[in-house]
Amino acid sequence: MNEAQKFWNGAAAIIMSDNKLLMVRGKGTSSWSIPSGGIEAGETAEKACVREVWEETGYGVDINKLLHIKKALIGNYHVTTSYFLCNVIDGQITYHDPDEIIEEIAWKSFDDFKNIQQDYPEDREMLLSYFNVEKY
């Protein structure tokens, strides 16, 4: 018997400052990801992105632009995630996470990023492209 297909829509923020990428690490894991989460009822992807960044990091952000939309099938979930390029406009690192799943918030340099485990390794090359580094 086939399980009913389910849908999950989310938003993710790519935020660079001083050539560092804002990332979060969940409790009980050594993996990192960019701030992201599900779109709630009545929310646009943009509003969800801004809310998730604030909840997970304490920063207020403006969205520069939609970068791309990732579609994946994970288990019986059809997952759609909108990725936005954002700028910090205010705030400081603080925890407002209502789900209490974030354990650490950090700005990761290019060298840091290359050496950390990532929650979504399929995003690695795309995220690396936002660092200003010499290409050899």
Side-chain angles (χ1 to χ4, degrees), residues 63-77:
I63 293 176
N64 282 350
K65 65 180 176 179
L66 173 65
L67 296 169
H68 79 271
I69 297 173
K70 178 171 78 175
K71 294 184 181 277
L73 183 61
I74 301 173
N76 62 333
Y77 279 87

Side-chain angles (χ1 to χ4, degrees), residues 40-55:
E40 296 179 353
E43 252 183 347
T44 63
E46 292 84 355
K47 286 186 184 201
C49 180
V50 170
R51 177 185 49 76
E52 287 290 343
V53 171
W54 185 83
E55 287 179 357

Side-chain angles (χ1 to χ4, degrees), residues 62-103:
D62 271 341
I63 293 176
N64 282 350
K65 65 180 176 179
L66 173 65
L67 296 169
H68 79 271
I69 297 173
K70 178 171 78 175
K71 294 184 181 277
L73 183 61
I74 301 173
N76 62 333
Y77 279 87
H78 291 269
V79 175
T80 302
T81 307
S82 299
Y83 287 73
F84 295 95
L85 184 61
C86 301
N87 287 327
V88 171
I89 55 173
D90 61 24
Q92 61 186 4
I93 290 180
T94 51
Y95 299 87
H96 301 122
D97 181 20
D99 302 322
E100 298 183 352
I101 58 171
I102 301 301
E103 184 163 325

Side-chain angles (χ1 to χ4, degrees), residues 31-32 70 113 117-126:
S31 296
W32 291 80
K70 178 171 78 175
F113 183 85
Q117 183 178 340
Q118 295 171 39
D119 284 335
Y120 305 100
E122 68 273 16
D123 292 347
R124 179 181 168 82
E125 292 304 313
M126 181 264 303

Side-chain angles (χ1 to χ4, degrees), residues 25-43:
R25 184 176 59 79
K27 291 182 178 173
T29 181
S30 57
S31 296
W32 291 80
S33 67
I34 57 176
S36 61
I39 299 171
E40 296 179 353
E43 252 183 347

